[in-house]
Amino acid sequence: MNDKTNTYSISDLAKEFGITPRSIRHYEDEKLISPERNGSQRIYRKGDRIRLQLILRGKRIGFSLSEIREIISMYDEPSGGEEKQTEFLLRKIEERRDALYQQQQDIKTMLAELDRLEARLTQ
Amino acid sequence: MNDKTNTYSISDLAKEFGITPRSIRHYEDEKLISPERNGSQRIYRKGDRIRLQLILRGKRIGFSLSEIREIISMYDEPSGGEEKQTEFLLRKIEERRDALYQQQQDIKTMLAELDRLEARLTQ
DNA sequence: GTTCCCCTTTACGTTAACGTAAAGGATAAA
DNA sequence: TTTATCCTTTACGTTAACGTAAAGGGGAAC
């Protein structure tokens, strides 16, 4: 990270998050992130970094890139958008929440099973 | 489900879980499940059904089929197996647990963000 | 001035997880 | 006995998420 400008190169972020520059470029191809440019070089700011974090968190949870794009696009909506649009987003949020609740349940179940497995293995 | 024999056909299970027979056959190709046969027909019993549930739960959490196979194989290990093998499994269990804890964190964070998003949208 | 290192784009390759079509066997209903 | 409805296997197709290689630009170090 460049301390003067508070910016990052693509490999700065790649190293920090343990991924490849190729992945980051791929996220850009998929419209998940759009850094500034200095000529042809990509320049990432704090906001881009946070966005990348959000992408990777979504991935860990198991969301696809297009699902993540959907979530990100909700962030980008203006606060008091169109009525229809707002309703649409609220429904999307509900959907996401339901999926996440289901996942929480699944994880709890799986953790309990791991406990039983471990107990069996250690007598 | 056949009430006499307490067995299921492949499409019975497919319908119940909202997937296709093809998927179930694929899980069999990948050694995740291995039903009995009556001639060439697959016959699924309670145990197979539970196994399928486990597979689908793993999928919802975001595990790959080979990760799920790894988990399933832990179930199949005898209780008092070899020393080395047991240690290996215990480490695997720890890994899984860590990943699941991370996911729990990620989900909490994401849920909180959804709350803030919703609040913003509804003023 | 050339070597090095990082960046770029273009483009074809790869893997996972199935989808889909083709061709045929078995059983039950009409 | 034909028609329908399941089942089977084989095999090629598809999509997502990158990997990887090729070819080249730009600046710093020697």
Side-chain angles (χ1 to χ4, degrees):
Chain A
M1 121 97 118
N2 186 327
D3 287 325
K4 296 230 171 196
T5 58
N6 253 354
T7 60
Y8 310 82
S9 74
I10 193 166
S11 57
D12 285 343
L13 291 184
K15 274 171 201 154
E16 175 174 359
F17 292 115
I19 59 180
T20 65
R22 175 67 175 94
S23 295
I24 300 181
R25 292 196 193 100
H26 181 62
Y27 301 150
E28 186 174 344
D29 288 345
E30 296 292 321
K31 319 280 183 197
L32 297 182
I33 193 170
S34 51
E36 286 175 39
R37 300 277 182 143
N38 181 4
S40 67
Q41 303 237 147
R42 291 170 175 82
I43 297 179
Y44 298 86
R45 300 192 178 281
K46 301 270 181 188
D48 298 313
R49 208 189 82 106
I50 290 182
R51 214 162 166 116
L52 187 53
Q53 276 186 308
L54 209 151
I55 294 171
L56 298 179
R57 189 187 305 135
K59 289 216 64 185
R60 283 195 303 271
I61 297 180
F63 286 149
S64 71
L65 293 187
S66 60
E67 287 172 319
I68 294 173
R69 177 176 36 227
E70 210 174 59
I71 295 173
I72 285 184
S73 76
M74 299 194 294
Y75 280 87
D76 292 345
E77 281 308 314
S79 307
E82 275 219 52
E83 279 287 317
K84 290 278 177 190
Q85 174 71 350
T86 300
E87 268 183 55
F88 173 78
L89 288 180
L90 288 176
R91 270 202 306 279
K92 283 291 169 191
I93 290 176
E94 264 318 293
E95 275 177 38
R96 291 281 153 243
R97 236 198 294 259
D98 288 349
L100 291 174
Y101 286 152
Q102 174 65 50
Q103 273 205 39
Q104 282 189 326
Q105 236 356 94
D106 289 334
I107 289 176
K108 278 184 192 172
T109 305
M110 184 87 59
L111 278 171
E113 278 166 4
L114 288 182
D115 284 345
R116 279 168 35 215
L117 259 177
E118 186 172 39
R120 217 184 62 189
L121 288 174
T122 57
Q123 258 66 310
Chain B
M1 122 95 119
N2 185 328
D3 287 323
K4 295 231 172 196
T5 60
N6 253 354
T7 61
Y8 309 82
S9 74
I10 193 166
S11 57
D12 283 343
L13 290 184
K15 274 172 200 156
E16 175 174 358
F17 292 113
I19 60 180
T20 66
R22 175 67 175 93
S23 295
I24 300 181
R25 291 195 193 101
H26 181 62
Y27 302 150
E28 186 174 344
D29 287 345
E30 296 292 320
K31 320 280 182 197
L32 297 183
I33 193 170
S34 50
E36 287 175 39
R37 299 277 182 144
N38 180 4
S40 66
Q41 302 238 145
R42 291 169 175 83
I43 296 179
Y44 298 87
R45 301 193 178 280
K46 301 269 181 189
D48 298 313
R49 209 189 82 107
I50 289 183
R51 215 162 166 116
L52 186 53
Q53 275 185 309
L54 208 151
I55 295 171
L56 298 179
R57 189 187 306 135
K59 290 217 61 186
R60 282 196 303 270
I61 297 178
F63 286 150
S64 71
L65 293 187
S66 59
E67 286 172 319
I68 294 172
R69 179 178 33 230
E70 211 173 58
I71 295 173
I72 285 185
S73 76
M74 298 193 294
Y75 280 87
D76 292 347
E77 280 309 313
S79 306
E82 275 218 51
E83 278 288 317
K84 289 277 177 192
Q85 173 71 351
T86 299
E87 268 182 56
F88 173 79
L89 289 179
L90 287 176
R91 271 203 304 281
K92 283 290 170 191
I93 289 176
E94 264 318 293
E95 276 177 37
R96 291 281 154 242
R97 237 199 293 260
D98 288 348
L100 291 174
Y101 286 152
Q102 174 65 49
Q103 273 206 41
Q104 282 189 326
Q105 237 354 97
D106 289 334
I107 288 176
K108 277 184 192 171
T109 306
M110 183 84 62
L111 279 171
E113 279 166 3
L114 288 182
D115 284 346
R116 278 168 35 216
L117 258 177
E118 186 172 39
R120 216 184 65 188
L121 287 174
T122 57
Q123 257 67 313

Short mmCIF file of all heavy atoms in Angstrom, two decimals, chain B residues 67-100:
data_model
loop_
_atom_site.label_atom_id
_atom_site.label_comp_id
_atom_site.label_asym_id
_atom_site.label_seq_id
_atom_site.Cartn_x
_atom_site.Cartn_y
_atom_site.Cartn_z
N GLU B 67 -15.30 -32.34 -0.30
CA GLU B 67 -15.25 -32.02 1.13
C GLU B 67 -16.31 -32.83 1.87
O GLU B 67 -16.07 -33.36 2.96
CB GLU B 67 -15.47 -30.53 1.35
CG GLU B 67 -14.27 -29.67 0.96
CD GLU B 67 -14.58 -28.17 1.00
OE1 GLU B 67 -15.68 -27.78 0.56
OE2 GLU B 67 -13.73 -27.41 1.46
N ILE B 68 -17.48 -32.91 1.26
CA ILE B 68 -18.57 -33.67 1.87
C ILE B 68 -18.19 -35.15 1.95
O ILE B 68 -18.45 -35.81 2.95
CB ILE B 68 -19.86 -33.49 1.06
CG1 ILE B 68 -20.32 -32.03 1.16
CG2 ILE B 68 -20.95 -34.42 1.57
CD1 ILE B 68 -21.48 -31.68 0.27
N ARG B 69 -17.53 -35.64 0.92
CA ARG B 69 -17.08 -37.04 0.96
C ARG B 69 -16.13 -37.25 2.13
O ARG B 69 -16.17 -38.28 2.81
CB ARG B 69 -16.39 -37.41 -0.35
CG ARG B 69 -15.90 -38.86 -0.32
CD ARG B 69 -15.25 -39.27 -1.62
NE ARG B 69 -14.57 -38.16 -2.26
CZ ARG B 69 -14.72 -37.80 -3.53
NH1 ARG B 69 -15.53 -38.48 -4.29
NH2 ARG B 69 -14.06 -36.78 -4.02
N GLU B 70 -15.28 -36.26 2.35
CA GLU B 70 -14.33 -36.36 3.45
C GLU B 70 -15.06 -36.45 4.79
O GLU B 70 -14.73 -37.27 5.65
CB GLU B 70 -13.42 -35.12 3.44
CG GLU B 70 -12.03 -35.39 3.96
CD GLU B 70 -11.13 -34.17 3.78
OE1 GLU B 70 -11.47 -33.10 4.30
OE2 GLU B 70 -10.07 -34.28 3.13
N ILE B 71 -16.05 -35.60 4.95
CA ILE B 71 -16.83 -35.62 6.19
C ILE B 71 -17.55 -36.94 6.36
O ILE B 71 -17.51 -37.57 7.42
CB ILE B 71 -17.86 -34.47 6.17
CG1 ILE B 71 -17.14 -33.11 6.16
CG2 ILE B 71 -18.79 -34.57 7.37
CD1 ILE B 71 -18.05 -31.93 5.98
N ILE B 72 -18.19 -37.39 5.29
CA ILE B 72 -18.92 -38.65 5.34
C ILE B 72 -18.00 -39.81 5.69
O ILE B 72 -18.35 -40.69 6.47
CB ILE B 72 -19.62 -38.92 3.99
CG1 ILE B 72 -20.84 -38.02 3.85
CG2 ILE B 72 -20.02 -40.38 3.88
CD1 ILE B 72 -21.65 -38.28 2.62
N SER B 73 -16.78 -39.77 5.13
CA SER B 73 -15.86 -40.87 5.39
C SER B 73 -15.47 -40.92 6.86
O SER B 73 -15.13 -41.98 7.38
CB SER B 73 -14.63 -40.73 4.51
OG SER B 73 -13.78 -39.72 5.02
N MET B 74 -15.54 -39.75 7.52
CA MET B 74 -15.24 -39.73 8.95
C MET B 74 -16.32 -40.51 9.71
O MET B 74 -16.02 -41.23 10.66
CB MET B 74 -15.15 -38.31 9.46
CG MET B 74 -14.03 -37.50 8.78
SD MET B 74 -13.60 -35.93 9.56
CE MET B 74 -15.06 -34.96 9.34
N TYR B 75 -17.55 -40.38 9.28
CA TYR B 75 -18.64 -41.12 9.91
C TYR B 75 -18.43 -42.62 9.76
O TYR B 75 -18.78 -43.40 10.64
CB TYR B 75 -19.98 -40.77 9.25
CG TYR B 75 -20.57 -39.49 9.72
CD1 TYR B 75 -20.23 -38.28 9.11
CD2 TYR B 75 -21.48 -39.46 10.76
CE1 TYR B 75 -20.77 -37.10 9.54
CE2 TYR B 75 -22.03 -38.28 11.19
CZ TYR B 75 -21.67 -37.09 10.58
OH TYR B 75 -22.20 -35.92 11.01
N ASP B 76 -17.87 -43.00 8.62
CA ASP B 76 -17.76 -44.42 8.32
C ASP B 76 -16.59 -45.09 9.02
O ASP B 76 -16.47 -46.31 8.99
CB ASP B 76 -17.64 -44.61 6.80
CG ASP B 76 -18.94 -44.23 6.11
OD1 ASP B 76 -19.95 -44.08 6.82
OD2 ASP B 76 -18.94 -44.08 4.88
N GLU B 77 -15.72 -44.28 9.61
CA GLU B 77 -14.57 -44.86 10.29
C GLU B 77 -15.02 -45.62 11.54
O GLU B 77 -15.90 -45.17 12.26
CB GLU B 77 -13.58 -43.76 10.69
CG GLU B 77 -12.71 -43.31 9.55
CD GLU B 77 -12.03 -44.47 8.85
OE1 GLU B 77 -11.48 -45.33 9.54
OE2 GLU B 77 -12.07 -44.51 7.60
N PRO B 78 -14.41 -46.76 11.81
CA PRO B 78 -14.73 -47.49 13.03
C PRO B 78 -14.32 -46.66 14.25
O PRO B 78 -13.41 -45.85 14.18
CB PRO B 78 -13.87 -48.75 12.91
CG PRO B 78 -12.78 -48.38 11.96
CD PRO B 78 -13.38 -47.38 11.02
N SER B 79 -15.02 -46.90 15.37
CA SER B 79 -14.82 -46.06 16.55
C SER B 79 -13.39 -46.10 17.05
O SER B 79 -12.80 -45.07 17.36
CB SER B 79 -15.77 -46.52 17.65
OG SER B 79 -17.08 -46.53 17.17
N GLY B 80 -12.82 -47.27 17.18
CA GLY B 80 -11.46 -47.35 17.70
C GLY B 80 -10.47 -47.72 16.61
O GLY B 80 -9.87 -48.77 16.68
N GLY B 81 -10.33 -46.83 15.64
CA GLY B 81 -9.47 -47.14 14.50
C GLY B 81 -8.00 -47.05 14.85
O GLY B 81 -7.63 -47.08 16.02
N GLU B 82 -7.19 -46.94 13.83
CA GLU B 82 -5.74 -46.82 14.05
C GLU B 82 -5.41 -45.48 14.70
O GLU B 82 -6.08 -44.48 14.48
CB GLU B 82 -5.02 -46.91 12.70
CG GLU B 82 -4.74 -48.33 12.28
CD GLU B 82 -3.38 -48.39 11.62
OE1 GLU B 82 -2.41 -47.88 12.24
OE2 GLU B 82 -3.28 -48.91 10.50
N GLU B 83 -4.34 -45.46 15.44
CA GLU B 83 -3.86 -44.24 16.10
C GLU B 83 -3.69 -43.10 15.10
O GLU B 83 -4.32 -42.05 15.22
CB GLU B 83 -2.51 -44.52 16.77
CG GLU B 83 -2.61 -45.20 18.11
CD GLU B 83 -3.14 -44.25 19.18
OE1 GLU B 83 -2.70 -43.09 19.21
OE2 GLU B 83 -4.00 -44.68 19.98
N LYS B 84 -2.85 -43.33 14.13
CA LYS B 84 -2.53 -42.30 13.12
C LYS B 84 -3.80 -41.79 12.46
O LYS B 84 -4.00 -40.60 12.28
CB LYS B 84 -1.60 -42.90 12.06
CG LYS B 84 -0.19 -43.19 12.55
CD LYS B 84 0.67 -41.92 12.50
CE LYS B 84 2.07 -42.23 13.07
NZ LYS B 84 2.84 -40.99 13.32
N GLN B 85 -4.62 -42.73 12.06
CA GLN B 85 -5.86 -42.42 11.36
C GLN B 85 -6.76 -41.55 12.25
O GLN B 85 -7.34 -40.57 11.80
CB GLN B 85 -6.57 -43.73 11.01
CG GLN B 85 -7.95 -43.57 10.42
CD GLN B 85 -7.89 -43.00 9.01
OE1 GLN B 85 -6.84 -42.59 8.53
NE2 GLN B 85 -9.04 -42.95 8.36
N THR B 86 -6.83 -41.90 13.52
CA THR B 86 -7.66 -41.14 14.45
C THR B 86 -7.15 -39.71 14.59
O THR B 86 -7.93 -38.76 14.54
CB THR B 86 -7.66 -41.82 15.83
OG1 THR B 86 -8.19 -43.13 15.69
CG2 THR B 86 -8.51 -41.04 16.81
N GLU B 87 -5.85 -39.60 14.73
CA GLU B 87 -5.27 -38.25 14.85
C GLU B 87 -5.58 -37.41 13.62
O GLU B 87 -5.94 -36.25 13.70
CB GLU B 87 -3.76 -38.34 15.04
CG GLU B 87 -3.33 -38.38 16.49
CD GLU B 87 -1.82 -38.42 16.59
OE1 GLU B 87 -1.17 -37.50 16.03
OE2 GLU B 87 -1.29 -39.36 17.21
N PHE B 88 -5.43 -38.06 12.48
CA PHE B 88 -5.73 -37.39 11.21
C PHE B 88 -7.16 -36.89 11.18
O PHE B 88 -7.42 -35.73 10.85
CB PHE B 88 -5.47 -38.37 10.06
CG PHE B 88 -5.89 -37.86 8.73
CD1 PHE B 88 -5.09 -36.95 8.02
CD2 PHE B 88 -7.08 -38.26 8.15
CE1 PHE B 88 -5.48 -36.48 6.78
CE2 PHE B 88 -7.47 -37.79 6.90
CZ PHE B 88 -6.67 -36.89 6.22
N LEU B 89 -8.07 -37.75 11.59
CA LEU B 89 -9.49 -37.37 11.58
C LEU B 89 -9.77 -36.23 12.55
O LEU B 89 -10.52 -35.31 12.25
CB LEU B 89 -10.35 -38.58 11.93
CG LEU B 89 -10.42 -39.65 10.84
CD1 LEU B 89 -11.29 -40.82 11.29
CD2 LEU B 89 -10.99 -39.04 9.56
N LEU B 90 -9.12 -36.28 13.73
CA LEU B 90 -9.35 -35.23 14.72
C LEU B 90 -8.88 -33.88 14.18
O LEU B 90 -9.52 -32.86 14.40
CB LEU B 90 -8.61 -35.57 16.02
CG LEU B 90 -9.25 -36.71 16.83
CD1 LEU B 90 -8.41 -37.04 18.05
CD2 LEU B 90 -10.66 -36.32 17.25
N ARG B 91 -7.77 -33.91 13.45
CA ARG B 91 -7.30 -32.65 12.86
C ARG B 91 -8.29 -32.16 11.80
O ARG B 91 -8.57 -30.97 11.71
CB ARG B 91 -5.91 -32.84 12.24
CG ARG B 91 -4.77 -32.59 13.21
CD ARG B 91 -3.47 -32.23 12.46
NE ARG B 91 -3.12 -33.27 11.49
CZ ARG B 91 -2.53 -34.43 11.80
NH1 ARG B 91 -2.23 -34.71 13.05
NH2 ARG B 91 -2.25 -35.30 10.86
N LYS B 92 -8.81 -33.10 11.03
CA LYS B 92 -9.79 -32.75 10.01
C LYS B 92 -11.03 -32.11 10.64
O LYS B 92 -11.58 -31.12 10.16
CB LYS B 92 -10.22 -34.00 9.23
CG LYS B 92 -9.21 -34.45 8.21
CD LYS B 92 -9.15 -33.48 7.04
CE LYS B 92 -7.97 -33.76 6.12
NZ LYS B 92 -7.78 -32.66 5.15
N ILE B 93 -11.44 -32.70 11.74
CA ILE B 93 -12.61 -32.19 12.44
C ILE B 93 -12.35 -30.76 12.91
O ILE B 93 -13.19 -29.87 12.77
CB ILE B 93 -12.97 -33.10 13.64
CG1 ILE B 93 -13.54 -34.42 13.13
CG2 ILE B 93 -13.97 -32.41 14.56
CD1 ILE B 93 -13.83 -35.44 14.21
N GLU B 94 -11.15 -30.54 13.43
CA GLU B 94 -10.78 -29.19 13.87
C GLU B 94 -10.85 -28.20 12.72
O GLU B 94 -11.36 -27.08 12.85
CB GLU B 94 -9.37 -29.21 14.46
CG GLU B 94 -9.33 -29.33 15.96
CD GLU B 94 -10.39 -28.47 16.65
OE1 GLU B 94 -10.29 -27.23 16.57
OE2 GLU B 94 -11.33 -29.04 17.24
N GLU B 95 -10.31 -28.61 11.58
CA GLU B 95 -10.34 -27.76 10.39
C GLU B 95 -11.77 -27.37 10.03
O GLU B 95 -12.08 -26.20 9.80
CB GLU B 95 -9.74 -28.50 9.19
CG GLU B 95 -8.23 -28.45 9.08
CD GLU B 95 -7.75 -29.29 7.89
OE1 GLU B 95 -8.44 -29.29 6.84
OE2 GLU B 95 -6.71 -29.95 8.02
N ARG B 96 -12.61 -28.38 9.97
CA ARG B 96 -14.02 -28.16 9.64
C ARG B 96 -14.65 -27.20 10.63
O ARG B 96 -15.37 -26.28 10.27
CB ARG B 96 -14.79 -29.47 9.69
CG ARG B 96 -14.45 -30.43 8.63
CD ARG B 96 -15.13 -30.06 7.32
NE ARG B 96 -14.35 -30.57 6.21
CZ ARG B 96 -13.80 -29.82 5.29
NH1 ARG B 96 -13.93 -28.51 5.34
NH2 ARG B 96 -13.11 -30.35 4.31
N ARG B 97 -14.37 -27.41 11.89
CA ARG B 97 -14.96 -26.58 12.92
C ARG B 97 -14.52 -25.13 12.74
O ARG B 97 -15.34 -24.21 12.81
CB ARG B 97 -14.53 -27.09 14.30
CG ARG B 97 -15.71 -27.43 15.18
CD ARG B 97 -15.34 -27.48 16.62
NE ARG B 97 -14.44 -28.59 16.94
CZ ARG B 97 -14.84 -29.74 17.48
NH1 ARG B 97 -16.10 -29.93 17.76
NH2 ARG B 97 -13.96 -30.68 17.76
N ASP B 98 -13.24 -24.94 12.49
CA ASP B 98 -12.74 -23.58 12.29
C ASP B 98 -13.44 -22.91 11.12
O ASP B 98 -13.84 -21.74 11.19
CB ASP B 98 -11.22 -23.61 12.05
CG ASP B 98 -10.46 -23.94 13.32
OD1 ASP B 98 -11.09 -23.92 14.40
OD2 ASP B 98 -9.25 -24.22 13.24
N ALA B 99 -13.58 -23.64 10.03
CA ALA B 99 -14.25 -23.08 8.86
C ALA B 99 -15.69 -22.72 9.20
O ALA B 99 -16.19 -21.67 8.79
CB ALA B 99 -14.20 -24.08 7.70
N LEU B 100 -16.34 -23.59 9.97
CA LEU B 100 -17.74 -23.34 10.33
C LEU B 100 -17.86 -22.13 11.26
O LEU B 100 -18.78 -21.32 11.13
CB LEU B 100 -18.35 -24.58 10.97
CG LEU B 100 -18.56 -25.76 10.01
CD1 LEU B 100 -19.03 -27.01 10.76
CD2 LEU B 100 -19.59 -25.40 8.94
#
